[in-house]
């Protein structure tokens, strides 16, 4: 229960920050999309490094203490953004808070350095046959609250959003202080991995997932700002709707796993999402763009609990934290390259090219999922 409350506080903060941060940079401070892309890139790389470090510490030291360390970074980040207009400090704040926009808030798109530890703890507390359900339930609740956070952003001034986000995320750190875990960390064989081959497969597919996310996810809101001149308050409504749809899509994960299994769930959902991404810049008609904006995140996250469950099942139980950390670091570093590319493309008004590149990268990724896991029993 404490982990659920922890996730909800952070998700509410993340939803508010995700909608407010690009407006803070692009509208309030009038920086370019390239600057926003550089900030997202720096934050992505920092989140990757933090995630890898925390993943190792969780396995070989203490999951609880490591989660507390990760938890305090988000409130510190929000306070910095609230208190300063200095570009350097905004870079630092984004790096500390993981404000990378490289993933849905349900999957750790803001404050993502804590995600591997949260998932490792859930793995410890659940049986294999229950994990898809619990991953999907926790993501569902987090995504619903994040969507509410996005909606709440329209009722506050841009700066006040970050002050409230700081207070809420600080509460999340306090909530987990009493948590008790029965499984102890493994202090032996700190760097030896029994599941290296499996981790390598998930790492390569995760890297391509990250690259594709970096190409498009940070620039969906700027796409509407640039193409349709949508105001922040109206965009908050759209983000709320998109978040709600994605939230309920997560509840389909247990059914997907039962009906299609791990591999086909990935192929079907990611394939449909890729098709929509390629269509988005071609038909720049607001209703069409909104339909895609509402659908893409749902298709992207629908099979995420299935993927996470499969990974934790295939990896040795004492290596889950490190596996998730390694997976995250490669995913986020590659996403930073996509973000840099798309930031430049948006600056020179080639806003369609990132979406087409996304389609090519995801096509390769889906093929590799099939190649690597076609014989999997998951």
């Amino acid at each position: 229960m404490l982990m659920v409350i922890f996730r909800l506080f952070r998700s509410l903060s993340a939803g508010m920050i995700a909608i407010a941060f690009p407006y803070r940079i692009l509208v309030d401070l009038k920086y370019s999309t390239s600057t926003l892309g550089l900030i997202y890139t720096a934050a992505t790389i920092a989140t990757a490094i933090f995630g890898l470090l925390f993943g190792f510490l969780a396995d070989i030291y203490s999951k609880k203490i490591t989660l507390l360390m990760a938890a305090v970074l988000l409130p510190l980040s929000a306070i910095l953004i609230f208190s300063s207009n200095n570009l350097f400090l905004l870079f630092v704040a984004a790096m500390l808070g993981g404000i990378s926009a490289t993933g849905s808030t349900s999957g750790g798109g803001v404050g993502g350095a804590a995600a591997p530890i949260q998932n490792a703890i859930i793995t410890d507390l659940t049986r294999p046959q229950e994990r898809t359900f619990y991953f999907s339930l926790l993501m569902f609740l987090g995504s619903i609250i994040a969507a509410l956070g996005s909606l709440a952003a329209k009722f506050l001034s841009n700066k006040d959003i970050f002050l409230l986000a700081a207070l809420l995320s600080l509460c999340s750190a306090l909530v987990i202080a009493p948590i008790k875990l029965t499984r102890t960390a493994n202090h032996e064989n700190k760097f030896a991995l029994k599941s290296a081959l499996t981790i390598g497969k998930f790492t390569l597919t995760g890297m391509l997932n990250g690259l594709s996310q970096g190409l498009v996810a940070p620039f969906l809101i700027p796409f509407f700002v640039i193409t349709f001149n949508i105001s922040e308050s109206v965009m908050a409504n759209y983000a709320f709707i998109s978040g709600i749809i994605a939230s309920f899509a997560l509840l389909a994960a247990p059914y997907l796993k039962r009906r299609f299994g791990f591999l086909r769930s990935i192929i079907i959902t990611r394939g449909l999402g890729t098709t929509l991404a390629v269509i988005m810049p071609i038909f720049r008609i607001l209703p069409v763009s909104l339909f895609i904006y509402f659908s893409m995140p749902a298709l992207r996250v629908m099979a995420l609990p299935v993927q996470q469950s499969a990974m934790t099942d295939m990896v040795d139980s004492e290596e889950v934290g490190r596996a998730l950390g390694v997976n995250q670091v490669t995913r986020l570093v590659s996403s930073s390259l996509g973000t840099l590319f798309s930031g430049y493309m948006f600056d020179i008004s080639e806003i369609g090219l990132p979406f087409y590149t996304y389609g090519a990268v995801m096509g390769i990724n889906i093929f590799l999922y099939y190649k690597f896991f076609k014989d999997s029993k998951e």
Side-chain angles (χ1 to χ4, degrees):
M1 187 61 185
L2 292 177
M3 286 299 298
V4 172
I5 297 172
F6 170 79
R7 184 67 166 260
L8 296 185
F9 272 123
R10 286 178 67 84
S11 294
L12 185 58
S13 302
M16 297 167 65
I17 291 172
I19 194 73
F21 189 76
Y23 280 93
R24 180 113 171 96
I25 300 301
L26 297 176
V27 179
D28 289 359
L29 302 179
K30 303 192 184 308
Y31 288 109
S32 67
T33 51
S34 285
T35 300
L36 179 64
L38 286 171
I39 293 174
Y40 281 152
T41 300
T44 299
I45 294 172
T47 301
I49 294 170
F50 281 131
L52 182 62
L53 174 63
F54 291 149
F56 271 78
L57 287 175
D59 274 351
I60 66 177
Y61 181 50
S62 165
K63 289 184 174 67
K64 175 182 172 179
I65 293 176
T66 306
L67 186 58
L68 281 168
M69 292 167 58
V72 299
L73 296 181
L74 187 55
L76 180 58
S77 167
I79 282 292
L80 280 174
I81 299 170
F82 169 78
S83 59
S84 178
N85 293 336
N86 181 275
L87 185 60
F88 173 76
L89 290 180
L90 291 173
F91 265 89
V92 172
M95 292 166 71
L96 289 173
I99 305 174
S100 57
T102 54
S104 67
T105 49
S106 64
V110 173
I117 318 165
Q118 294 177 64
N119 292 335
I121 290 174
I122 294 301
T123 301
D124 278 357
L125 297 175
T126 58
R127 294 177 297 176
Q129 61 268 32
E130 301 171 334
R131 283 179 195 150
T132 300
F133 169 76
Y134 281 111
F135 279 137
S136 63
L137 179 62
L138 197 61
M139 288 182 186
F140 166 72
L141 294 173
S143 190
I144 285 283
I145 296 299
L148 292 173
S150 298
L151 185 64
K154 66 182 291 185
F155 300 108
L156 299 167
S157 70
N158 191 275
K159 285 197 70 174
D160 288 345
I161 287 170
F162 295 100
L163 178 59
L164 181 57
L167 294 173
L168 291 169
S169 54
L170 181 59
C171 288
S172 75
L174 298 176
V175 160
I176 57 170
I179 197 171
K180 294 181 180 179
L181 298 175
T182 56
R183 182 175 294 180
T184 58
N186 177 22
H187 297 277
E188 299 180 358
N189 298 320
K190 296 179 180 180
F191 299 102
L193 293 173
K194 302 173 188 175
S195 309
L197 181 60
T198 300
I199 292 172
K201 291 177 180 179
F202 278 103
T203 296
L204 183 55
T205 53
M207 180 181 69
L208 293 175
N209 278 332
L211 178 59
S212 64
Q213 277 290 86
L215 286 166
V216 170
F219 298 97
L220 286 175
I221 291 175
F223 176 87
F224 283 90
V225 174
I226 294 169
T227 305
F228 302 110
N229 195 29
I230 303 294
S231 69
E232 184 173 2
S233 61
V234 173
M235 196 66 220
N237 291 330
Y238 295 152
F240 171 73
I241 295 170
S242 181
I244 289 294
I245 294 171
S247 299
F248 281 95
L250 286 163
L251 295 180
Y255 169 78
L256 283 176
K257 186 172 183 180
R258 289 194 306 269
R259 178 68 176 83
F260 299 110
F262 159 57
L263 179 60
R264 285 198 292 166
S265 296
I266 294 291
I267 291 174
I268 292 169
T269 56
R270 300 284 167 85
L272 289 172
T274 300
T275 302
L276 291 178
V278 172
I279 291 173
M280 190 168 189
I282 297 174
F283 299 101
R284 298 186 194 180
I285 304 166
L286 184 57
V288 175
S289 297
L290 285 174
F291 171 78
I292 295 173
Y293 179 62
F294 295 154
S295 303
M296 268 185 64
L299 290 166
R300 184 86 192 185
V301 303
M302 191 179 291
L304 187 56
V306 181
Q307 177 190 17
Q308 290 185 339
S309 177
M311 184 177 180
T312 57
D313 287 348
M314 294 180 195
V315 170
D316 186 272
S317 61
E318 293 182 347
E319 299 172 358
V320 171
R322 282 168 286 178
L324 292 169
V326 170
N327 181 267
Q328 187 182 59
V329 73
T330 53
R331 178 170 56 83
L332 293 181
V333 168
S334 62
S335 76
S336 69
L337 299 177
T339 300
L340 274 176
F341 173 78
S342 294
Y344 178 70
M345 289 297 106
F346 268 64
D347 250 9
I348 63 173
S349 299
E350 293 288 343
I351 65 177
L353 193 55
F355 292 88
Y356 306 141
T357 307
Y358 175 100
V361 171
M362 282 304 297
I364 296 170
N365 196 28
I366 290 170
F367 170 77
L368 286 180
Y369 269 113
Y370 174 77
K371 185 75 173 176
F372 290 157
F373 302 110
K374 61 184 178 181
D375 298 321
S376 170
K377 296 179 182 179
E378 293 295 328

